[in-house]
Structure formats: C-alpha cells, structure tokens
Amino acid sequence: MEEKKLYFIYNPHSGREQIRAKLFHILQIFSDAGYELTVHPTREKKDAVRQIEMLSDDYDLVVCSGGDGTIDEVVEGMMRRERKFPIGYIPSGTVNDFARSLKIPRDMLKAAKIAVEGKDFPCDMGTFNEGHFVYIAAFGIFTDVAYSTSQNVKNVLGHMAYLLEGVKRLANIPSYHMHLHSEELEAEGDFIFGMVTNSRSVGGFKSIIGRKVQFDDGVFEVTFIRTPKNAAELQEILGAIILKEIDSKYMYSFRTSCLSVEADGAVPWTLDGEFGGECTSAVIRNHQKALKIRVAE
C-alpha cells in the first residue's frame, strides 16, 4: 500500500518557541498515523505562502504550526492552488483566535492528533481585494496592536499586550469617513473601527460578534463603530465593548456575504492580525466552504 504524504510547515519563533520541545513528539504522531513526512521550518515572512503554492500535487495533507499569521500564509498559498489539500493546524501563537474558534486545543500534541485523525470541516474563507484572510479583516482602534507590539512583549504579556497597547492610543484615535455598501446595509459616516469576521473570538474576546457564528454559512459578521463626538460617547462605546454588547447608537452590526467599503483617504487594514496594506476602497467577499480544515471528530 502506498504511504500517504504529509507536508509539515511550522514557524519556529511563534509563541515562546514552544514547538522546539514538542517537535519530536509531533513528528512521531504523524509517522505513527502512517504518513511519509516532509518538514519545513519557515525562514521569513511569506515563506509559507510560497512553499504551499508551489507544493507538488502528490501530498495528502498539509499541517502547519504557528500563530494566526502562519495559518493565514498557509491559507493564502492554498487558495492560489488548483489542487487544494486539507489543512491541519497546531496553534502555537500568542492569541490563536482561529484555533479557539474551531475548538482546536492549545495542547500541541492533542492538536497534532486531530490533524491526522480528525475530520475535514469545509470552512468559509475571505478575500480582501486580491488577498485572502481566514477569520478577520479590520481597521481602526486596536487593530494594529498585533503587528505593532513586539514579539517579546507579546510573549511576556500575552493578552495584556494587546489591551495595553490599545489603551495607550485612545488619546489620538484616527477616524475614517466611509461609505458602506452591501445588500443588507447602505451607510455613510465617520468610523474609528470596523471588522469583518468569521470567528467566535477576536483578540481573545469572545462573543462581541454574536454567539450564533457559523464557519460554513457563507456570511461574515460585520461590526462598524462610529466616531464618538466627545469623551462621554467614547466611554459609552468602550463600556459596550467591555460588556461585549452591540450599542446600536454607535455601532452597525449585520451579516453579509459581500461588503464594499469606500473611504475618503487611505485606510490601513489588518488581515488576521497582520498588516494588510492601505487602501481607499475594498471589496470583501465570503467564499463558502472554500477550504477543508481538520477538526476534532
């Protein structure tokens, strides 16, 4: 019987470099499951995109380990391919929103077992203009925290790093004048924050985007927060965020499969916690069940 082939790609620096201690055991789990292995530690940014895009068609499974940025690169590479393989994911980043959403455990050996023994879940993927994202496209307050906070600070403080960095910026919040177009909503206004998500957890915060999130329903959960006119309004908005409630006075919240955003000036966007570039117009689409992700039975 021909041996199945598994391509394992991992970010050796993700999280606290914790994969180093577990690598032998992870490879043993793959081997025991009957796979012939190819192993590739990523060397630089976008390395995973290139490796997955150029991978030969004779593999059966791709497994990646790293944070949200790593899974994002693997998905980007996979979406560029004609033949797409199922993706197993072993989270080792600081926050791991995507893994948390799909109930993939933080325990790396348990996640490795799911990667080779679990079932394939057809998961929605997003496109942002020409690029891809897995679980969030966002702009505004808090969104550049992930890529502006150094890896060392993230490792030491974990969750608090995101919050501390965000709170430091409240004094000078940038605001963007935008037009929003979708079948469900037409709106215009000044916004300090917007997110288009396919996740139950963003930045480790659960449920601000609603509890009935499905990852294969073909729609995104969208939240836009208006610019507060004064300190009292800002307090109300922050209160709503902390309480994880949608305040319709200051927020638009709806579901859609396609949203176009036109801004008066260039807006810096974050895709899955990584800097996604600046643009004045964006078309954000949901591609239903575009990729298979391995999840627990």
Side-chain angles (χ1 to χ4, degrees), residues 181-186 219 254-259:
H181 308 276
S182 78
E183 273 188 29
E184 297 76 7
L185 179 90
E186 290 277 336
V219 293
F254 59 101
R255 288 184 161 99
T256 187
S257 60
C258 183
L259 174 70

Side-chain angles (χ1 to χ4, degrees), residues 1-292:
M1 190 175 117
E2 199 177 333
E3 207 167 19
K4 300 173 290 183
K5 292 182 72 173
L6 185 156
Y7 187 84
F8 180 49
I9 185 161
Y10 69 96
N11 178 352
H13 307 297
S14 179
R16 297 180 181 82
E17 301 190 354
Q18 55 185 317
I19 194 163
R20 286 169 187 258
K22 305 274 172 67
L23 191 56
F24 172 78
H25 299 289
I26 288 169
L27 298 180
Q28 191 67 55
I29 288 167
F30 295 163
S31 180
D32 289 348
Y35 284 96
E36 177 192 323
L37 305 178
T38 306
V39 181
H40 180 84
T42 56
R43 299 189 185 97
E44 59 195 355
K45 210 169 167 50
K46 301 291 181 199
D47 187 21
V49 179
R50 289 189 294 273
Q51 298 298 330
I52 300 303
E53 185 181 9
M54 306 311 292
L55 205 56
S56 72
D57 281 346
D58 58 352
Y59 283 89
D60 299 280
L61 176 66
V62 166
V63 181
C64 66
S65 182
D68 289 331
T70 305
I71 182 82
D72 190 50
E73 287 195 14
V74 167
V75 163
E76 177 75 47
M78 197 67 80
M79 291 292 282
R80 293 180 185 181
R81 295 178 57 86
E82 193 71 29
R83 173 152 196 254
K84 296 173 174 60
F85 313 112
I87 299 170
Y89 181 37
I90 302 173
S92 65
T94 316
V95 177
N96 304 310
D97 280 319
F98 185 62
R100 187 188 274 111
S101 291
L102 288 177
K103 298 189 169 65
I104 296 169
R106 279 202 71 113
D107 182 307
M108 297 177 85
L109 301 186
K110 284 181 183 166
K113 273 199 146 69
I114 289 170
V116 289
E117 295 172 4
K119 63 176 182 184
D120 290 340
F121 173 68
C123 196
D124 296 350
M125 292 294 150
T127 48
F128 181 92
N129 291 341
E130 302 304 308
H132 296 89
F133 66 96
V134 182
Y135 73 94
I136 184 167
F139 72 87
I141 183 175
F142 297 128
T143 54
D144 65 341
V145 172
Y147 57 82
S148 68
T149 309
S150 79
Q151 189 64 50
N152 291 340
V153 175
K154 277 197 228 177
N155 290 348
V156 176
L157 295 174
H159 244 100
M160 288 305 294
Y162 288 78
L163 295 178
L164 291 173
E165 192 67 29
V167 170
K168 277 195 333 213
R169 301 155 189 263
L170 291 184
N172 49 355
I173 304 170
S175 172
Y176 305 96
H177 190 81
M178 292 177 155
H179 300 255
L180 312 180
H181 308 276
S182 78
E183 273 188 29
E184 297 76 7
L185 179 90
E186 290 277 336
E188 180 184 357
D190 296 322
F191 298 97
I192 55 168
F193 174 82
M195 66 180 178
V196 180
T197 72
N198 194 36
S199 169
R200 286 197 183 96
S201 157
V202 172
F205 290 98
K206 291 184 188 166
S207 79
I208 187 166
I209 41 221
R211 288 176 169 76
K212 294 190 174 68
V213 175
Q214 303 292 325
F215 302 100
D216 58 355
D217 60 1
V219 293
F220 289 126
E221 284 64 43
V222 181
T223 302
F224 274 70
I225 301 179
R226 289 177 167 284
T227 305
K229 295 187 174 67
N230 50 49
E233 285 192 1
L234 177 60
Q235 284 311 115
E236 276 191 58
I237 290 168
L238 289 175
I241 291 170
I242 289 162
L243 293 170
K244 298 170 183 165
E245 291 171 352
I246 296 299
D247 186 333
S248 56
K249 231 186 343 183
Y250 303 113
M251 303 180 189
Y252 290 113
S253 190
F254 59 101
R255 288 184 161 99
T256 187
S257 60
C258 183
L259 174 70
S260 86
V261 181
E262 302 283 337
D264 288 0
V267 179
W269 284 81
T270 307
L271 304 179
D272 295 339
E274 303 287 318
F275 182 54
E278 296 194 359
C279 59
T280 53
S281 65
V283 177
I284 305 165
R285 291 181 197 281
N286 184 302
H287 298 262
Q288 191 171 17
K289 301 183 179 179
L291 285 183
K292 293 189 174 90

